[in-house]
Amino acid sequence: MKILILGDTGLIGSALVQKLINHHDIIGLSRSTAHFDYEHIAFNIESTGITSLLESTQPQLIISALRGDFDQQLQRHHEILTYSKQHQIPIHFYSTANVFDGSNQTIHGEMDQTISVSPYGNFKIEVENLIKTLPSYAIIRLPMVFGKDSPRFKEIQKILITQEKLKVLDLLELSIVLDTYIADIHALIIERNLSGIFHITSQDTISMKAFYQSFLGNDIIIESIPPQIFALKSTQELLLEQPLDVQQVVSTLNTHLKQ
């Protein structure tokens, strides 16, 4: 299958390329002008329309993991949606737990009503609503994402070297996920030709304080807040077949720290 990955050099996009490249014809798109061992197109979503590129590459699946200006992203997604409807191809869109940041006292499942109080969350909701008009789509919502190349993990590495302290929220409950696990599950979504909303997340939660203490010990500054939850849960059979728990994430990251 010819797959166009929008945002192929980001954290999620890079993990997807590595997972899919041996089984699919991958075309990547981002601002990067570097050389890659697959077809990559340097593209700035904030200055260029995407329709002509879609017509020239003719993908069979579009995966959107874009970043950038919200208004420009929204315009590009309108263009992508028009192309998708004309050519009857699915779109897989990466969204976020922030679509629920207006309701922070519960863990949210795929079918919960979205409600956001942030510009980021509301932007993602707007694109989700566009994608849902397609006959075949995947909306993939993520909680906090970690991996050996993730900014959050690099922050942990830096603090271990500099002995600085990291500010964490003591009563914030999180679900978390690894970039490689996201790619594994997404590959199965593609393989099984699944459609719908998917929460790719750990099946349990951990407090922000406890999570960072797993790596930094007491090199943290505790900031007290009212109890809040920033977590997703999944009832999708695919996720229940291959569950990820918080301890697996912690163990994987500790392994990366020792390398």
Side-chain angles (χ1 to χ4, degrees):
M1 181 188 296
K2 182 183 284 189
I3 301 176
L4 176 63
I5 301 178
L6 309 178
D8 64 311
T9 56
L11 179 64
I12 304 304
S14 296
L16 285 173
V17 169
Q18 294 305 310
K19 181 66 181 180
L20 300 175
I21 195 168
N22 292 328
H23 303 284
H24 299 278
D25 181 9
I26 300 299
I27 304 171
L29 182 150
S30 73
R31 292 186 181 187
S32 176
T33 56
H35 175 75
F36 299 90
D37 57 0
Y38 60 92
E39 184 177 354
H40 169 84
I41 300 170
F43 182 87
N44 183 354
I45 69 162
E46 296 179 9
S47 61
T48 310
I50 199 171
T51 301
S52 60
L53 185 146
L54 295 173
E55 294 287 358
S56 64
T57 55
Q58 297 184 349
Q60 296 166 287
L61 168 65
I62 300 170
I63 298 175
S64 175
L66 285 172
R67 295 178 295 174
D69 178 83
F70 294 163
D71 290 337
Q72 292 299 319
Q73 281 197 66
L74 185 60
Q75 178 59 39
R76 298 295 85 79
H77 281 98
H78 274 288
E79 296 166 9
I80 293 164
L81 187 75
T82 298
Y83 179 87
S84 174
K85 288 181 175 179
Q86 289 174 345
H87 297 271
Q88 298 181 339
I89 63 170
I91 297 174
H92 291 185
F93 173 67
Y94 272 91
S95 191
T96 170
N98 288 87
V99 299
F100 300 111
D101 63 22
S103 173
N104 59 14
Q105 297 300 310
T106 189
I107 302 174
H108 290 282
E110 285 95 348
M111 294 299 103
D112 288 1
Q113 179 63 47
T114 55
I115 176 170
S116 176
V117 292
S118 68
Y120 180 54
N122 280 309
F123 158 70
K124 289 291 188 177
I125 291 171
E126 191 167 1
V127 180
E128 283 191 13
N129 289 335
L130 289 177
I131 302 300
K132 289 176 185 177
T133 65
L134 293 170
S136 179
Y137 65 87
I139 292 171
I140 299 172
R141 296 187 185 129
L142 304 176
M144 289 182 70
V145 180
F146 288 85
K148 65 179 180 180
D149 295 319
S150 68
R152 294 185 179 103
F153 180 68
K154 290 181 178 180
E155 183 178 41
I156 292 171
Q157 290 177 306
K158 177 184 175 182
I159 289 171
L160 288 171
I161 294 170
T162 63
Q163 300 299 302
E164 298 174 12
K165 291 187 180 292
L166 177 69
K167 182 182 291 186
V168 301
L169 307 177
D170 61 343
L171 296 179
L172 178 61
E173 196 75 11
L174 304 169
S175 60
I176 52 181
V177 71
L178 291 166
D179 56 349
T180 50
Y181 179 76
I182 294 166
D184 288 345
I185 297 298
H186 197 164
L188 291 175
I189 292 172
I190 295 170
E191 179 184 316
R192 300 181 187 183
N193 195 29
L194 300 178
S195 183
I197 300 173
F198 302 86
H199 287 181
I200 303 184
T201 180
S202 59
Q203 294 299 301
D204 54 350
T205 63
I206 188 171
S207 72
M208 187 180 193
K209 174 184 174 182
F211 178 74
Y212 279 101
Q213 281 182 326
S214 300
F215 313 105
L216 302 175
N218 292 322
D219 287 335
I220 58 176
I221 299 172
I222 308 299
E223 181 176 331
S224 295
I225 61 167
Q228 295 181 21
I229 298 172
F230 186 77
L232 299 173
K233 62 183 177 181
S234 179
T235 56
Q236 289 277 9
E237 183 177 344
L238 181 67
L239 275 295
L240 300 177
E241 287 175 8
Q242 302 190 41
L244 176 76
D245 61 48
V246 166
Q247 190 52 50
Q248 288 174 268
V249 178
V250 171
S251 296
T252 299
L253 296 179
N254 270 318
T255 299
H256 290 327
L257 286 173
K258 294 173 184 177
Q259 292 174 346

